[in-house]
Amino acid sequence: MSSQVCSRCSRIIQPGDLFYSLSIKVAAGFDGVINIKSDKIDLSEEFEKVKSYPEELLNEEVYREFEFVLCPRCKEIYCANPLNLPLGNPAPDA
Ligand SMILES: [Zn+2]
């Protein structure tokens, strides 16, 4: 049986040690609105464009999945700030 390694700090997780599995799924949202800004859009042309993308790339556009193993310490760090937002400073008003 191979030991797990923390994806964040590379610590080896010994058999029987506590660890966490982290799954991140990123899927394109759809609010039901299709934006057709111009009636000049040639749908068959758009379709050809989409068809020419490699399928893998197209799938990555709409759905990505990540799997990580975290040691307890890294799990705490991750959960404290999952989006890795800057801490301490209020978000600047852009
Ligand atoms: Zn770790």
Side-chain angles (χ1 to χ4, degrees):
M1 202 175 95
S2 63
S3 3
Q4 304 255 43
V5 174
C6 175
S7 305
R8 192 175 173 278
C9 71
S10 303
R11 198 184 109 176
I12 292 167
I13 294 154
Q14 302 294 345
D17 274 6
L18 183 63
F19 70 93
Y20 296 85
S21 64
L22 168 66
S23 306
I24 301 176
K25 295 173 184 183
V26 185
F30 182 54
D31 61 3
V33 178
I34 296 170
N35 269 321
I36 298 177
K37 293 189 182 100
S38 154
D39 55 10
K40 284 182 204 140
I41 286 178
D42 183 340
L43 280 181
S44 62
E45 193 181 296
E46 292 296 307
F47 184 66
E48 286 303 314
K49 231 193 279 179
V50 167
K51 255 196 348 191
S52 66
Y53 288 142
E55 198 175 323
E56 216 169 289
L57 190 74
L58 202 62
N59 288 341
E60 281 190 2
E61 283 292 305
V62 292
Y63 188 76
R64 302 238 17 213
E65 202 171 319
F66 303 88
E67 296 284 344
F68 299 107
V69 168
L70 294 179
C71 70
R73 188 171 167 271
C74 289
K75 172 255 182 189
E76 289 301 320
I77 294 168
Y78 176 79
C79 288
N81 190 3
L83 292 181
N84 197 25
L85 300 172
L87 295 174
N89 307 311
D93 288 316

